[in-house]
């Protein structure tokens, strides 16, 4: 196909020609991409065509443009569970590139989005997320969010959180198994 003109690429990405979009996305995998082009590519995560979503996912994971995690993080509030899970999978794959965009994401006091963000950070296992998680743990009263935080501290192996984990052990019967598991992971 070989389109070298960015406005034409964006126009094609907005078209209804799924096969042409997939072909273009495959060509772009190794290229330096502008922010505008990245945004138009990431928007296709929500497309109904699974082949197109797969091509977009592959491009994002292989290209690793630092703007991708910030754009993908916006899908953590998607009402479509498959799109939200795909976004989580991509963010986990991008690893440390995803930490800052997830920490800085404005979850608008949406406990479901917050729990999802913490679960993703927990699977990335980057120490930079620990202070964010501790802050959420100290301010949340939602059991699901608290459990996600307790589990995340263990997955991240955040040693400075041991005393906090012990405090939460006695706070609620629901927390005890997760606290024990997290303490075990920390060692």
């Amino acid at each position: 196909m070989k389109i070298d003109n960015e406005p034409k690429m964006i126009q094609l990405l907005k078209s209804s020609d799924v096969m042409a979009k997939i072909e273009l996305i495959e060509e772009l995998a190794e290229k330096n991409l502008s922010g505008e082009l990245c945004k138009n590519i990431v928007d296709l995560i929500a497309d109904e065509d699974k082949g197109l979503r797969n091509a977009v996912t592959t491009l994002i994971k292989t290209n690793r443009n630092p703007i991708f995690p910030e754009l993908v993080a916006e899908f953590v509030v998607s009402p479509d569970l498959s799109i939200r899970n795909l976004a989580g999978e991509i963010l986990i794959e991008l690893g440390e590139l995803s930490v800052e965009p997830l920490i800085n994401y404005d979850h608008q006091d949406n406990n479901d989005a917050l729990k999802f963000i913490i679960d993703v950070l927990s699977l990335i296992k980057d120490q930079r997320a620990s202070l964010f998680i501790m802050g959420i743990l100290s301010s949340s009263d939602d059991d699901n969010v608290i459990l996600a935080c307790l589990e995340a501290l263990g997955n991240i192996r955040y040693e400075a959180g041991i005393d906090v984990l012990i405090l939460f052990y006695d706070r609620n019967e629901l927390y005890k198994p997760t606290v024990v598991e997290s303490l075990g992971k920390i060692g």
Side-chain angles (χ1 to χ4, degrees), residues 16 20 33 36 38 53 56 60 68 77 80 108 125 128 131 142 144 151 162 168 172-173 181:
S16 61
L33 306 174
E36 186 65 26
C38 288
R53 287 197 307 216
V56 168
I60 293 170
F68 279 138
V77 293
D80 185 327
Q108 300 287 333
K125 300 178 182 178
R128 291 177 296 159
L131 292 179
D142 183 272
N144 289 325
E151 181 179 5
I162 291 173
F168 272 87
N172 185 327
E173 285 295 316
E181 184 178 339

Side-chain angles (χ1 to χ4, degrees), residues 5-20:
N5 180 318
E6 186 173 312
K8 286 184 181 178
M9 289 180 195
I10 291 171
Q11 184 180 5
L12 176 61
L13 291 171
K14 291 180 178 183
S15 77
S16 61
D17 188 345
V18 173
M19 292 311 294

